[in-house]
Amino acid sequence: MTMKDIEQLLANNKAWAEDVEKDMPGFFRKLENQHKPKFLWIGCSDSRVPADQLVGVMPGEVFVHRNISNQVINTDINLMCVLQYAIDFLRVKHIIVCGHYNCGGIEAVLENQTSGLLDHWLENVKDLMERNGTPGLDEMCELNVRLQVRNLALNTIVRRAWSQGHPLFLHGWIYSVSNGLLRDLGVSRNGLENQTEKHKQP
Ligand code: CO
């Protein structure tokens, strides 16, 4: 039974590749030697929140990093490598932190049900919860995105890019698994603008 499920995935892939090639002849050949995504997506691993599909793009357009509850932790070597590669080499223009409602990781923190490594991984979310009284799950999912955008804005790799004049925007979005829609939380920022403001001061 399990093997059948796996075989189905491979069969789906073959059909998909054929469809794409039929609709857009040469699509894969073109991508072979070109990787220039404009966006880095930092999202939750939740299977209901597939980055590319949500924003309707084809392979080649979004560089993706996903982890449990879309955390930006500046000691996470995995994310730091993704950030460095995306910023210094790919020169992405936008970094989107995308959280989602009904996030299992956030819910586990609210209900005090984390354990083992997840306890460590979600430490910042716990801290956030304690600082905000007893927020509901939806509010907590939004607060989490805001916090992670802030962590990004404080990140050395991001700050260095800004100080070197790299036009890099950060954004915080939240996705609703119940209707498939994204919402911009209005926390977008571009360090360059902030710096320009500073320079204007006497
Ligand atoms: Co989640």
Side-chain angles (χ1 to χ4, degrees), residues 44 46 69-70 100 103-105:
C44 184
D46 193 300
S69 301
N70 42 275
H100 67 103
C103 182

Side-chain angles (χ1 to χ4, degrees), residues 43-46 48-49 67-70 99-106:
C44 184
S45 298
D46 193 300
R48 297 167 297 179
V49 194
N67 62 43
I68 291 182
S69 301
N70 42 275
H100 67 103
Y101 295 119
N102 300 90
C103 182
I106 305 289

Side-chain angles (χ1 to χ4, degrees), residues 7-21 28:
E7 278 159 20
Q8 185 61 54
L9 294 185
L10 294 171
N12 290 351
N13 166 257
K14 196 160 176 273
W16 171 78
E18 281 167 9
D19 279 353
V20 171
E21 193 58 34
F28 294 109

Side-chain angles (χ1 to χ4, degrees), residues 19-31:
D19 279 353
V20 171
E21 193 58 34
K22 207 163 79 188
D23 286 351
M24 291 170 277
F27 178 81
F28 294 109
R29 183 54 59 88
K30 198 176 140 219
L31 276 187

